[in-house]
Amino acid sequence: MQQEALEVVREYAQAVFRRARVPMEPFNYEVDWADQPSRHTSYPGAPRVPLPVALPDLPTLRDLFTGEHLPPAGGWTLDRLATLLRLSYGLLDRRLTVNWNQDLAKRAHFEHAVWGRGTASGGGMYPVELFLVAGPSAPLLPGVYHYGTGQHVLERLLLGDVSGTVRAAVGEPAGGADSFLVASIRFWKNSFKYNSFCYHVVTQDLGALLGSWDLLARGLGVPLPRLLGFDPAPVDRLLGFDSDRESAFAVVPLDWAGAAPDAGADGGDREDGSGPTGERPAEARVRYPAFERSRRLREFPAVTEVHRAAAAPTTPAPDALADAAPRELPGEPQALPAPELARLARPLSTVLATRSSSFGRFRRPPELTAAELGTTLAFATAGRHHPADAGLPGDAPALTRLWVFANHVDGLDAGTYAYCSRRHVLLPAAAEPDDGMSAFLQQQYFLTNYTMGQVGAVLAIAGRLDAVLDAVGPRGYRILNAEIGAVAQRAYCAATAQRLGCGAVLGFDNVAMDEALGLTGTDERTVLFLLLGRHPDAAADLMYRL
């Protein structure tokens, strides 16, 4: 059974990586923009709990990078939770920028406005939904709450302690927690635009959100063990999901400040789902239906099939993923300037509030510098990438590697390089293509919103998908893509702190890009690309802070 699921995941991934040459089904799909889903899921009729809106002072990216001046470790409070939710996924401002996106003209009208958020999302779809399952030690009534991103509120969907359902689903990694953040993915919020390509995008969106949470948790001084290997079925039933349309992808146990140790394990539901007195209650589940704007919801067989395959829970053996990290590469290292920490001296809250995608606004000169490139690479790869239930120690090597297509970088010859984060050096992969790097990149990019001659460098996040799948099974696809998304979010933050432009894209011909890096014949492949460069000093931008 697992072998069949592995083949499904491998075939889906192969179709994704070759889609520049062989289109994915359904062919000639046209997006019905008039019938798109709401960008903000809501539960009409559910009681709303307003969240604090004041944002605390947070450490700078430099402090997060060096580990200095961080707050002492503590527990979660409602204020800290509100900060985490708002800065990562809540609305922060309305934006209108002159760029090369084809739908720009509509954005001037309120009904098509772009609302800025701290975390990047493929196509700006934001398909992740956030739920709080609060237990007895929480600072609000026990129950199930949905985070309403549009109003920055918690919508109470169920009253009563049902934390035992989630604790039983995640098992031992839950520890003594009696409250949990659950991140689910609502496929239609992305698939209406990207159809069968959806699953690849949304699993990276989840990783980008977790990347923001990692940074915010360090800045707030709270623990954030993220769990990705659990059985989603009981959690989906609790939240009232049709698992083919929406499913739980990540769980974060929460320990509240001032709560007695192991209060949840003793005071809440038992592992078998019974209450504290041993009486087994009827299965509780959310009864409120989510509002659906679309009149017609389509399901795509490729998305349903790969999700069913990748949703199988995994309990990897200790160090199972240790051999799935990218292999050491030969070559004469080329030193990079040391990370310029002064360029990262902007508060995390400011960085997340001003982060945005470039959408073709790159301009040169002046050129991107080797120091700016090196600082971005160092910060992007410095995070804690592994989920807490993956069976790996905290210092285990990452499952991903960053490659560099140096296009116009002052102090670095044009060409392709592998970044070694351990030594902070570049390892040359190949010389500049005969037609020039800009021409090569433009030929391999099949969208129209970027001019590669204006881009300083293209970063490629790569991993050994087959090795990850062999190590932990079909769920490895989600684990690898989550790390890729987290690395991308950290790169966005590093670029924003340095006032550089950054844009994540999936529109390159992966086969050609792999060939240019010398990856043909290996099990490593490029997955996501990040464009780095400078924005023009004078630009017609509107940013209205909320």
Side-chain angles (χ1 to χ4, degrees), residues 48-64:
R48 292 182 174 182
V49 180
L51 286 170
V53 295
L55 297 175
D57 294 330
L58 293 177
T60 66
L61 259 62
R62 178 180 58 190
D63 295 334
L64 294 171

Side-chain angles (χ1 to χ4, degrees), residues 13 44 103 132 140 150 196 206 220 237 260 321 365 437:
D103 62 352
L132 170 65
L140 67 174
S196 296
L206 174 73
L220 293 167
R237 288 194 298 270
L321 282 165
M437 184 62 75

Side-chain angles (χ1 to χ4, degrees), residues 7-25 190 194-204 302-303 306-307 444 446 461 465 477 480-481 484 505-514 525-529:
E7 288 307 312
V8 168
V9 172
R10 287 192 168 101
E11 288 177 7
Y12 178 82
Q14 184 68 6
V16 164
F17 294 137
R18 296 189 63 84
R19 77 191 190 287
R21 304 183 177 197
V22 182
M24 299 178 70
E25 295 182 357
N190 180 279
Y194 291 121
N195 54 80
S196 296
F197 187 46
C198 157
Y199 204 75
H200 190 66
V201 180
V202 299
T203 47
Q204 293 177 16
V303 174
V306 72
H307 172 61
Q444 310 314 324
F446 53 81
I461 311 175
L465 176 59
Y477 182 61
L480 179 62
N481 264 1
I484 288 166
V505 299
L506 286 155
F508 281 106
D509 180 350
N510 291 79
V511 176
M513 300 295 270
D514 290 352
R525 59 182 70 182
T526 56
V527 183
L528 179 65
F529 302 91

Side-chain angles (χ1 to χ4, degrees), residues 122-154:
M125 299 293 102
Y126 292 96
V128 181
E129 300 295 334
L130 305 176
F131 297 85
L132 170 65
V133 179
S137 69
L140 67 174
L141 290 173
V144 176
Y145 299 79
H146 170 257
Y147 177 55
T149 54
Q151 295 81 28
H152 186 56
V153 297
L154 292 177

Side-chain angles (χ1 to χ4, degrees), residues 283-330:
E283 183 177 37
R285 59 183 300 172
V286 167
R287 302 297 181 184
Y288 284 99
F291 169 74
E292 181 53 68
R293 179 184 180 277
S294 299
R295 295 182 300 275
R296 179 193 181 198
L297 276 67
R298 290 188 57 176
E299 294 185 25
F300 300 92
V303 174
T304 302
E305 189 177 24
V306 72
H307 172 61
R308 289 177 178 176
T314 180
T315 51
D319 296 337
L321 282 165
D323 294 331
R327 298 185 175 93
E328 288 284 342
L329 294 174

